[in-house]
Amino acid sequence: MESPIKTEKRDHILAVTLDRPKANAIDLMTSRIMGDVFTDFRDDPDLRVAIVTGAGDKFFCPGWDLKAAAGGDAVDGDYGKGGFGGLQELRGLNKPVIAAVNGICCGGGLELALSADIILAADHATFALPEIRSGTVADAASIRLPKRIPYHIAMEMLFTGRWIEAEEAARWGLINHIYPGQDLMVEAWKLAGLLASGPPLVYAAIKEIVREAEDMKFQDALNRITRSQFQTVETLYRSEDQKEGARAFAEKRDPVWKGR
Protein backbone atom coordinates (compact mmCIF):
# COMPACT_ATOMS: atom_id res chain seq x y z
CA MET A 1 0.00 0.00 0.00
CA GLU A 2 1.31 3.45 -0.92
CA SER A 3 2.40 5.52 2.05
CA PRO A 4 0.17 8.50 2.93
CA ILE A 5 3.31 10.47 3.78
CA LYS A 6 5.72 11.62 1.07
CA THR A 7 9.15 12.95 1.97
CA GLU A 8 11.79 14.84 0.02
CA LYS A 9 15.29 15.68 1.20
CA ARG A 10 17.13 18.60 -0.34
CA ASP A 11 20.45 19.63 1.16
CA HIS A 12 19.69 19.97 4.91
CA ILE A 13 15.92 20.28 4.44
CA LEU A 14 13.18 17.66 4.82
CA ALA A 15 9.79 18.27 3.19
CA VAL A 16 6.95 16.16 4.57
CA THR A 17 3.74 16.00 2.51
CA LEU A 18 0.51 14.58 3.86
CA ASP A 19 -1.06 12.79 0.87
CA ARG A 20 -4.31 11.00 1.78
CA PRO A 21 -7.02 11.71 -0.79
CA LYS A 22 -9.54 13.15 -0.71
CA ALA A 23 -8.88 15.52 2.19
CA ASN A 24 -5.51 14.60 3.81
CA ALA A 25 -7.25 13.55 7.03
CA ILE A 26 -5.11 11.75 9.61
CA ASP A 27 -5.94 8.28 10.92
CA LEU A 28 -3.98 6.29 13.50
CA MET A 29 -1.69 4.64 10.95
CA THR A 30 -0.88 7.97 9.28
CA SER A 31 -0.18 9.61 12.62
CA ARG A 32 2.23 6.82 13.57
CA ILE A 33 4.06 7.18 10.24
CA MET A 34 4.32 10.94 10.77
CA GLY A 35 5.70 10.32 14.26
CA ASP A 36 8.43 8.10 12.84
CA VAL A 37 9.24 10.63 10.11
CA PHE A 38 9.54 13.58 12.50
CA THR A 39 11.49 11.52 15.06
CA ASP A 40 13.98 10.59 12.34
CA PHE A 41 14.17 14.27 11.37
CA ARG A 42 14.84 15.25 14.98
CA ASP A 43 17.61 12.67 15.35
CA ASP A 44 19.35 13.13 11.98
CA PRO A 45 22.26 15.56 12.40
CA ASP A 46 22.33 16.23 8.67
CA LEU A 47 18.77 17.60 8.63
CA ARG A 48 18.28 21.12 9.94
CA VAL A 49 14.81 22.30 8.84
CA ALA A 50 11.49 20.61 8.06
CA ILE A 51 8.54 21.73 5.95
CA VAL A 52 5.13 20.12 6.49
CA THR A 53 2.39 20.58 3.90
CA GLY A 54 -0.53 18.81 2.24
CA ALA A 55 -0.87 17.36 -1.24
CA GLY A 56 -3.00 19.21 -3.77
CA ASP A 57 -4.29 22.75 -3.51
CA LYS A 58 -7.56 22.29 -1.65
CA PHE A 59 -6.70 20.68 1.69
CA PHE A 60 -3.79 21.13 4.06
CA CYS A 61 -5.41 18.87 6.64
CA PRO A 62 -8.87 18.69 8.26
CA GLY A 63 -7.47 16.77 11.21
CA TRP A 64 -8.85 13.51 12.56
CA ASP A 65 -10.26 11.06 10.00
CA LEU A 66 -13.87 10.65 11.11
CA LYS A 67 -14.47 7.87 8.55
CA ALA A 68 -11.59 5.89 10.08
CA ALA A 69 -13.07 6.57 13.51
CA ALA A 70 -16.41 5.21 12.36
CA GLY A 71 -14.54 2.17 11.07
CA GLY A 72 -12.94 1.43 14.43
CA ASP A 73 -10.04 3.86 14.95
CA ALA A 74 -10.30 4.95 18.59
CA VAL A 75 -10.02 8.69 19.20
CA ASP A 76 -7.87 7.85 22.23
CA GLY A 77 -5.86 5.24 20.33
CA ASP A 78 -2.10 5.04 19.80
CA TYR A 79 -1.11 8.06 17.71
CA GLY A 80 2.55 7.04 17.81
CA LYS A 81 5.66 9.04 18.59
CA GLY A 82 4.98 12.73 19.04
CA GLY A 83 1.25 12.31 19.52
CA PHE A 84 -1.31 13.32 16.90
CA GLY A 85 0.40 14.14 13.61
CA GLY A 86 3.82 13.31 15.04
CA LEU A 87 4.64 16.87 16.09
CA GLN A 88 2.57 18.29 18.90
CA GLU A 89 4.07 16.14 21.67
CA LEU A 90 7.46 15.26 20.16
CA ARG A 91 10.04 15.87 22.87
CA GLY A 92 13.37 17.53 22.18
CA LEU A 93 12.53 18.77 18.69
CA ASN A 94 15.04 21.60 18.61
CA LYS A 95 15.00 22.30 14.88
CA PRO A 96 12.86 24.80 12.93
CA VAL A 97 9.63 23.48 11.40
CA ILE A 98 7.68 25.40 8.75
CA ALA A 99 4.02 24.67 8.03
CA ALA A 100 3.05 25.49 4.43
CA VAL A 101 -0.74 25.64 4.57
CA ASN A 102 -1.99 25.02 1.05
CA GLY A 103 -5.75 24.99 1.66
CA ILE A 104 -8.34 24.04 4.28
CA CYS A 105 -6.70 23.83 7.70
CA CYS A 106 -9.07 22.91 10.47
CA GLY A 107 -9.44 20.86 13.64
CA GLY A 108 -6.41 18.66 14.16
CA GLY A 109 -4.94 20.11 10.96
CA LEU A 110 -4.82 23.53 12.59
CA GLU A 111 -3.33 21.89 15.68
CA LEU A 112 -0.66 20.37 13.41
CA ALA A 113 0.12 23.80 11.94
CA LEU A 114 0.27 25.28 15.45
CA SER A 115 2.97 22.72 16.27
CA ALA A 116 5.24 24.36 13.70
CA ASP A 117 7.44 27.38 14.40
CA ILE A 118 6.50 29.38 11.32
CA ILE A 119 3.25 29.19 9.33
CA LEU A 120 3.05 30.22 5.68
CA ALA A 121 -0.28 30.10 3.88
CA ALA A 122 -1.69 30.18 0.38
CA ASP A 123 -4.02 33.10 -0.24
CA HIS A 124 -6.99 30.74 -0.49
CA ALA A 125 -6.26 28.93 2.81
CA THR A 126 -8.95 28.91 5.49
CA PHE A 127 -8.79 28.06 9.18
CA ALA A 128 -11.27 26.81 11.79
CA LEU A 129 -11.78 24.71 14.89
CA PRO A 130 -15.15 23.06 14.16
CA GLU A 131 -14.96 20.48 16.98
CA ILE A 132 -17.63 22.35 18.93
CA ARG A 133 -20.19 21.38 16.27
CA SER A 134 -19.56 17.67 16.81
CA GLY A 135 -19.65 17.91 20.58
CA THR A 136 -15.96 17.46 21.19
CA VAL A 137 -13.03 19.64 22.25
CA ALA A 138 -10.04 20.82 20.27
CA ASP A 139 -7.68 19.85 23.07
CA ALA A 140 -4.26 20.95 21.81
CA ALA A 141 -5.72 24.10 20.22
CA SER A 142 -7.45 25.00 23.49
CA ILE A 143 -3.99 25.07 25.07
CA ARG A 144 -1.99 26.68 22.28
CA LEU A 145 -4.27 29.05 20.39
CA PRO A 146 -4.99 31.56 23.24
CA LYS A 147 -1.21 31.89 23.65
CA ARG A 148 -0.64 32.62 19.95
CA ILE A 149 -3.39 35.09 19.10
CA PRO A 150 -5.54 37.51 21.13
CA TYR A 151 -7.49 35.64 23.80
CA HIS A 152 -10.91 36.86 22.70
CA ILE A 153 -10.34 35.85 19.07
CA ALA A 154 -9.09 32.41 20.12
CA MET A 155 -12.09 31.88 22.37
CA GLU A 156 -14.49 32.95 19.62
CA MET A 157 -12.93 30.40 17.26
CA LEU A 158 -13.10 27.67 19.91
CA PHE A 159 -16.65 28.52 21.02
CA THR A 160 -18.23 29.03 17.58
CA GLY A 161 -16.12 27.02 15.15
CA ARG A 162 -16.23 29.93 12.70
CA TRP A 163 -13.94 29.98 9.67
CA ILE A 164 -11.38 32.69 9.04
CA GLU A 165 -9.62 33.49 5.79
CA ALA A 166 -5.86 33.78 5.39
CA GLU A 167 -5.97 37.59 5.53
CA GLU A 168 -7.72 37.57 8.91
CA ALA A 169 -5.41 34.84 10.18
CA ALA A 170 -2.44 37.05 9.31
CA ARG A 171 -4.05 40.05 10.96
CA TRP A 172 -4.30 38.20 14.27
CA GLY A 173 -0.76 36.85 13.97
CA LEU A 174 -1.81 33.23 13.44
CA ILE A 175 0.28 32.98 10.27
CA ASN A 176 3.46 34.70 9.16
CA HIS A 177 3.01 35.29 5.43
CA ILE A 178 0.45 34.82 2.64
CA TYR A 179 1.44 33.86 -0.92
CA PRO A 180 -0.40 33.04 -4.13
CA GLY A 181 -1.06 29.30 -4.14
CA GLN A 182 1.43 28.54 -6.92
CA ASP A 183 4.18 30.36 -5.00
CA LEU A 184 3.63 28.80 -1.58
CA MET A 185 6.10 25.92 -1.78
CA VAL A 186 8.66 28.04 -3.65
CA GLU A 187 8.60 30.47 -0.74
CA ALA A 188 8.60 27.66 1.84
CA TRP A 189 11.72 26.14 0.29
CA LYS A 190 13.33 29.59 0.09
CA LEU A 191 12.71 30.24 3.79
CA ALA A 192 13.85 26.73 4.70
CA GLY A 193 17.05 27.32 2.74
CA LEU A 194 17.68 30.53 4.65
CA LEU A 195 17.19 28.74 7.97
CA ALA A 196 19.27 25.76 6.89
CA SER A 197 22.19 28.11 6.20
CA GLY A 198 22.00 29.41 9.79
CA PRO A 199 23.54 28.11 13.03
CA PRO A 200 21.73 24.89 14.07
CA LEU A 201 23.05 24.97 17.64
CA VAL A 202 21.65 28.47 18.12
CA TYR A 203 18.27 27.35 16.77
CA ALA A 204 18.32 24.45 19.23
CA ALA A 205 19.04 26.80 22.13
CA ILE A 206 16.29 29.20 21.04
CA LYS A 207 13.70 26.43 20.81
CA GLU A 208 14.59 24.92 24.19
CA ILE A 209 14.58 28.32 25.90
CA VAL A 210 11.24 29.32 24.39
CA ARG A 211 9.66 25.96 25.23
CA GLU A 212 10.93 25.74 28.80
CA ALA A 213 10.47 29.42 29.63
CA GLU A 214 6.78 29.36 28.74
CA ASP A 215 5.81 28.32 32.27
CA MET A 216 8.64 30.08 34.11
CA LYS A 217 9.06 33.53 35.61
CA PHE A 218 11.28 35.79 33.53
CA GLN A 219 14.13 36.02 36.04
CA ASP A 220 14.12 32.27 36.68
CA ALA A 221 14.39 31.56 32.96
CA LEU A 222 17.11 34.19 32.49
CA ASN A 223 19.09 32.76 35.41
CA ARG A 224 18.94 29.31 33.83
CA ILE A 225 20.31 30.74 30.58
CA THR A 226 23.16 32.71 32.14
CA ARG A 227 24.12 29.72 34.29
CA SER A 228 24.07 27.43 31.23
CA GLN A 229 21.43 25.23 32.84
CA PHE A 230 19.80 24.53 29.50
CA GLN A 231 21.59 21.63 27.81
CA THR A 232 21.40 23.25 24.39
CA VAL A 233 22.91 26.49 25.71
CA GLU A 234 25.72 24.57 27.40
CA THR A 235 26.38 22.70 24.14
CA LEU A 236 26.37 25.94 22.14
CA TYR A 237 28.82 27.75 24.41
CA ARG A 238 31.28 24.87 24.21
CA SER A 239 30.93 24.31 20.47
CA GLU A 240 33.14 24.83 17.43
CA ASP A 241 30.32 26.90 15.94
CA GLN A 242 30.54 29.40 18.81
CA LYS A 243 34.23 29.97 18.02
CA GLU A 244 33.53 30.02 14.28
CA GLY A 245 30.91 32.74 14.71
CA ALA A 246 33.35 34.97 16.55
CA ARG A 247 36.14 34.31 14.03
CA ALA A 248 33.88 34.98 11.05
CA PHE A 249 32.73 38.27 12.57
CA ALA A 250 36.31 39.37 13.23
CA GLU A 251 37.38 38.33 9.72
CA LYS A 252 34.35 39.98 8.10
CA ARG A 253 33.20 36.81 6.32
CA ASP A 254 30.19 34.52 6.38
CA PRO A 255 30.46 31.81 9.04
CA VAL A 256 30.50 28.13 8.10
CA TRP A 257 28.23 26.34 10.54
CA LYS A 258 28.91 22.66 11.25
CA GLY A 259 26.39 22.05 14.02
CA ARG A 260 29.06 20.98 16.48
Side-chain angles (χ1 to χ4, degrees):
M1 184 174 62
E2 191 173 1
S3 175
I5 302 300
K6 306 294 190 297
T7 60
E8 179 185 355
K9 294 180 182 179
R10 193 185 301 177
D11 297 325
H12 298 292
I13 303 164
L14 174 70
V16 179
T17 302
L18 179 57
D19 188 4
R20 284 195 77 226
K22 299 179 179 178
N24 296 331
I26 297 174
D27 62 359
L28 289 178
M29 182 191 72
T30 302
S31 183
R32 290 193 286 264
I33 294 171
M34 294 174 77
D36 289 339
V37 167
F38 286 117
T39 298
D40 289 344
F41 163 70
R42 179 195 66 187
D43 297 340
D44 186 339
D46 192 52
L47 293 173
R48 298 183 179 181
V49 183
I51 303 168
V52 58
T53 191
D57 59 6
K58 185 174 182 181
F59 289 95
F60 171 71
C61 176
W64 178 239
D65 187 339
L66 294 178
K67 289 184 179 179
D73 265 15
V75 70
D76 58 351
D78 177 14
Y79 291 111
K81 301 169 186 172
F84 182 79
L87 272 181
Q88 63 186 23
E89 298 177 65
L90 186 58
R91 295 181 180 276
L93 179 54
N94 291 328
K95 300 176 180 181
V97 178
I98 301 166
V101 178
N102 54 301
I104 292 171
C105 177
C106 63
L110 179 50
E111 292 176 330
L112 176 63
L114 287 170
S115 299
D117 303 296
I118 295 173
I119 304 177
L120 310 180
D123 52 10
H124 64 277
T126 54
F127 305 83
L129 294 165
E131 282 87 345
I132 188 75
R133 296 173 185 173
S134 58
T136 188
V137 63
D139 47 13
S142 296
I143 298 168
R144 281 199 165 116
L145 193 63
K147 297 178 180 179
R148 305 290 180 82
I149 67 175
Y151 173 85
H152 299 96
I153 305 303
M155 296 308 287
E156 181 187 11
M157 290 183 68
L158 288 161
F159 283 161
T160 69
R162 81 172 179 92
W163 289 83
I164 64 173
E165 310 257 335
E167 184 178 344
E168 183 178 357
R171 187 163 75 246
W172 299 126
L174 178 60
I175 62 177
N176 296 78
H177 303 288
I178 303 171
Y179 299 106
Q182 68 271 19
D183 297 336
L184 176 64
M185 288 308 296
V186 173
E187 296 296 334
W189 279 103
K190 187 185 301 183
L191 177 59
L194 174 65
L195 295 177
S197 69
L201 295 183
V202 176
Y203 294 151
I206 290 170
K207 286 203 67 170
E208 185 181 25
I209 290 168
V210 170
R211 184 174 60 245
E212 296 298 321
E214 187 172 29
D215 297 319
M216 299 174 66
K217 292 180 179 179
F218 172 81
Q219 195 60 53
D220 291 341
L222 190 61
N223 289 343
R224 285 193 63 186
I225 296 170
T226 57
R227 295 167 186 167
S228 296
Q229 292 176 343
F230 289 110
Q231 182 57 54
T232 54
V233 175
E234 177 71 7
T235 298
L236 171 65
Y237 288 163
R238 296 177 180 274
S239 69
E240 292 180 31
D241 278 1
Q242 177 77 20
K243 298 183 179 68
E244 166 64 8
R247 282 196 302 268
F249 180 81
E251 296 167 8
K252 298 181 180 180
R253 61 173 175 81
D254 291 334
V256 178
W257 307 116
K258 298 181 179 178
R260 60 176 187 268

